[in-house]
Amino acid sequence: MAEAKPDTPLMPPPLRNLPDFKKSVKLKYVKLGYHYLITHGMYLFLSPLVVLIAAQLSSFSLEDLHVIWENLQYNLISVIVCSTLIVFLSTLYIMTRPRPVYLVNFSCYKPEEAHKCSKKIFMDQSRKSGFFTEETLEFQRKILERAGLGESTYFPEAVLNDPPNPSMKEARKEAEAVMFGAIDELFAKTSVKPKDIGILIVNCSLFCPTPSLSAMIINHYKLRGNIKSLNLGGMGCSAGLISIDLAKDLLQVHPNSYALVVSTENITLNWYSGNDLSKLVSNCLFRMGGAAILLSNKGSDRRRSKYQLVDTVRTNKGSDDKCFGCVVQEEDSSGKIGVTLSRDLMAVAGHALKTNITTLGPLVLPMSEQLLFFATLVGKKLFKMKIKPYIPDFKLAFEHFCIHAGGRAVLDELEKNLQLSTWHMEPSRMTLYRFGNTSSSSLWYELAYTEAKGRIRKGDRTWQIAFGSGFKCNSAVWKALRTINSAKEKNPWMDEIHKFPVEVPRISPL
């Protein structure tokens, strides 16, 4: 009997090999299936129980129902007690549940063409002013080249004049143009009358005149005498979300009310004219802008409102000296006032963000993400496993992100840490490019960009997140109540949205 050759297979090869699942199955769908299973696990668990109850109820006959009714008829005390308990619990629930807060509409101010300031105009004005040395002019040029700003940002008239003439009068002129421009457009959009406003909150960090900015608005629009008026100052770029949170609290105790929130910053008196490098960065980043937001707790406004406020989370690190001192308004050695930005700013912002999202995560993340985060935390802390901390996928909780356009470095760091895509970062980057850092109002220019692109669908969730001096990190979560038709929108992007997005180079030489 002939021996089999060594290279002859003992069994014939199968007609088809098993597929390589790593190549043939898209693992993202496996992950999505996992998230769906965990998130809807409670419903899947209760489904058999619901089916059994329904089957039992379907076997009830009219005679069974008649027997139950007869038993209740002869037990009047039980009926009265049960009815009283039901009425009491229903009343308690209605009285203690939070009032929903609706965002009826908002508007962003778009300055006139005369206020446009290209990077060349900025450098020419800085040079002609005579305030800066060649060294500090070169420093500003390098910042501008890398800041991510475009050629169509806006400066107030007092800074663009030759020579610049910042004064209290010019600062008020800028404030009035921005605030009244945004509010006029908002009233036109919503058809709300000034006398209907019951709550007014204005935030501007560096310009706090007397009478206040809120008083200027009350006087201009002749708002009613019993209005709840507040003016927030010195709270940095995150003050816009502080105003939203404050308005939410006030709307809980004042039924059937409208709250008007105005967020802005003033450049005229805060353009630094010294040569301290740490104070010159803000000159290169901050630009003219503002926004007005109308909130309501009226049930009748739900149908016409754009969004409902889901959650607000505020994080304050002011008790830490390093955090407290990373953004400070102070005089330089020549007595000129400016805002000093510490080298520790990015580290402080990252620490504040970590605390904020740790609080926000359980409120918005699906259960699947929370379990993964908890599992890695237990493995790392309890079992001393050498594994990286799990970063939750916030893209599973939100469809849209509005991250404060504080500067390119801030946006780059958040894109990396939150694992966001270029598409998610587009509203923030384009807002920085087109309008610059407009402080607390930048979040609303970003939301306006998202609306102008036609991306908002009913049920979509948007995360607004901002940082501010002190140091603070604040978040607000909104849920879209309807699909936004971009063709019917009026916002500062509409006449040029077709030009965006644009490619923003890492360095734009001047």
Side-chain angles (χ1 to χ4, degrees):
M1 187 174 179
E3 294 181 359
K5 294 181 180 180
D7 57 346
T8 302
L10 298 178
M11 294 180 64
L15 295 177
R16 294 179 61 187
N17 293 325
L18 289 174
D20 186 345
F21 285 97
K22 290 184 178 180
K23 294 181 180 179
S24 62
V25 178
K26 292 185 177 180
L27 294 181
K28 70 175 183 178
Y29 295 119
V30 176
K31 185 178 180 182
L32 287 174
Y34 160 75
H35 286 300
Y36 184 87
L37 180 64
I38 297 298
T39 305
H40 298 86
M42 183 61 70
Y43 300 107
L44 296 174
F45 174 77
L46 292 177
S47 294
L49 183 61
V50 172
V51 171
L52 288 174
I53 294 173
Q56 185 67 29
L57 290 176
S58 65
S59 65
F60 269 58
S61 63
L62 291 176
E63 293 181 0
D64 295 327
L65 296 175
H66 184 68
V67 170
I68 294 174
W69 173 248
E70 284 186 342
N71 290 333
L72 289 175
Q73 270 186 318
Y74 297 108
N75 198 348
L76 186 59
I77 296 176
S78 298
V79 173
I80 294 174
V81 170
C82 289
S83 300
T84 304
L85 183 62
I86 291 172
V87 171
F88 173 76
L89 292 176
S90 300
T91 305
L92 184 65
Y93 170 74
I94 293 171
M95 295 295 292
T96 58
R97 67 173 181 172
R99 299 178 190 273
V101 175
Y102 305 114
L103 194 162
V104 181
N105 215 324
F106 68 96
S107 63
C108 301
Y109 177 68
K110 187 174 185 178
E112 298 174 354
E113 291 293 308
H115 291 281
K116 274 191 177 179
C117 180
S118 65
K119 286 180 276 191
K120 183 179 184 307
I121 292 175
F122 177 91
M123 290 304 303
D124 289 344
Q125 285 295 106
S126 298
R127 189 177 299 277
K128 286 190 295 184
S129 69
F131 295 137
F132 307 107
T133 65
E134 286 299 322
E135 179 189 358
T136 54
L137 285 170
E138 178 63 14
F139 175 79
Q140 291 180 78
R141 183 185 66 80
K142 289 182 178 179
I143 294 294
L144 280 178
E145 289 179 342
R146 295 162 173 80
L149 275 70
E151 301 293 339
S152 300
T153 57
Y154 301 96
F155 254 140
E157 183 180 338
V159 179
L160 292 176
N161 284 338
D162 188 13
N165 61 327
S167 63
M168 181 64 75
K169 179 181 178 181
E170 289 296 322
R172 283 184 174 274
K173 183 178 176 181
E174 178 194 349
E176 289 174 355
V178 173
M179 295 190 305
F180 300 164
I183 295 172
D184 286 345
E185 182 179 300
L186 181 63
F187 283 157
K189 283 182 177 181
T190 59
S191 299
V192 170
K193 298 176 182 178
K195 292 290 185 182
D196 294 334
I197 304 299
I199 299 167
L200 172 65
I201 303 173
V202 181
N203 66 268
C204 183
S205 188
L206 297 176
F207 182 53
C208 298
T210 301
S212 66
L213 297 177
S214 59
M216 290 165 60
I217 293 174
I218 292 172
N219 176 261
H220 181 78
Y221 292 99
K222 309 304 177 188
L223 302 184
R224 65 198 202 196
N226 64 343
I227 190 170
K228 306 296 182 292
S229 172
L230 299 102
N231 200 99
L232 306 182
M235 304 196 78
C237 300
S238 68
L241 296 185
I242 295 175
S243 297
I244 295 295
D245 183 64
L246 178 57
K248 178 192 73 173
D249 291 343
L250 289 172
L251 287 170
Q252 297 305 309
V253 295
H254 297 285
N256 297 315
S257 296
Y258 283 116
L260 174 61
V261 175
V262 181
S263 295
T264 186
E265 194 50 79
N266 194 278
I267 305 298
T268 298
L269 284 180
N270 296 291
W271 184 63
Y272 176 61
S273 58
N275 287 284
D276 186 336
L277 298 184
S278 65
K279 295 178 176 62
L280 283 169
V281 176
S282 58
N283 274 17
C284 301
L285 295 178
F286 283 88
R287 294 296 185 267
M288 185 179 180
I293 305 96
L294 183 67
L295 303 176
S296 171
N297 59 9
K298 300 181 180 182
S300 58
D301 279 325
R302 179 183 175 87
R303 295 192 59 166
R304 71 174 184 137
S305 297
K306 285 185 172 181
Y307 306 94
Q308 181 174 344
L309 184 60
V310 178
D311 274 304
T312 54
V313 174
R314 292 171 55 181
T315 301
N316 196 313
K317 293 291 182 180
S319 59
D320 183 281
D321 291 341
K322 184 177 178 181
C323 297
F324 176 77
C326 67
V327 181
V328 179
Q329 186 183 25
E330 59 186 2
E331 296 172 329
D332 64 9
S333 57
S334 302
K336 295 182 178 180
I337 297 176
V339 177
T340 302
L341 302 180
S342 165
R343 293 181 181 274
D344 298 324
L345 179 59
M346 292 303 299
V348 167
H351 185 54
L353 174 65
K354 180 181 177 182
T355 304
N356 189 271
I357 63 177
T358 301
T359 306
L360 180 68
L363 301 175
V364 297
L365 285 170
M367 186 59 66
S368 54
E369 285 295 287
Q370 296 187 47
L371 288 176
L372 286 173
F373 176 79
F374 179 74
T376 55
L377 184 66
V378 169
K380 188 177 179 66
K381 298 293 184 181
L382 191 60
F383 298 104
K384 307 299 181 183
M385 298 171 64
K386 294 182 179 180
I387 54 177
K388 293 182 179 180
Y390 181 73
I391 300 176
D393 187 358
F394 279 92
K395 297 187 293 295
L396 293 171
F398 307 109
E399 285 73 32
H400 310 286
F401 295 81
C402 294
I403 299 168
H404 169 53
R408 169 175 262 161
V410 174
L411 297 181
D412 288 347
E413 196 66 23
L414 284 174
E415 180 180 3
K416 176 184 175 183
N417 288 338
L418 295 177
Q419 301 176 356
L420 301 179
S421 68
T422 302
W423 187 87
H424 290 114
M425 296 298 299
E426 185 182 310
S428 300
R429 293 195 185 279
M430 292 305 100
T431 295
L432 180 64
Y433 177 84
R434 178 62 183 85
F435 293 97
N437 181 349
T438 59
S439 189
S440 57
S441 65
S442 68
L443 299 174
W444 302 103
Y445 286 91
E446 294 165 18
L447 187 56
Y449 178 91
T450 309
E451 291 185 353
K453 279 293 183 181
R455 296 177 179 177
I456 301 292
R457 298 286 182 268
K458 184 178 180 179
D460 282 2
R461 296 152 297 177
T462 300
W463 181 17
Q464 291 181 321
I465 184 165
F467 303 91
S469 57
F471 191 85
K472 297 176 284 294
C473 176
N474 300 320
S475 293
V477 179
W478 303 92
K479 181 179 180 181
L481 297 176
R482 55 185 171 89
T483 298
I484 306 298
N485 185 352
S486 58
K488 296 181 179 180
E489 283 303 303
K490 182 181 180 182
N491 69 46
W493 296 94
M494 292 312 300
D495 57 348
E496 52 186 294
I497 191 63
H498 59 281
K499 301 177 183 178
F500 295 92
V502 299
E503 184 67 29
V504 183
R506 302 297 301 178
I507 299 178
S508 302
L510 287 175

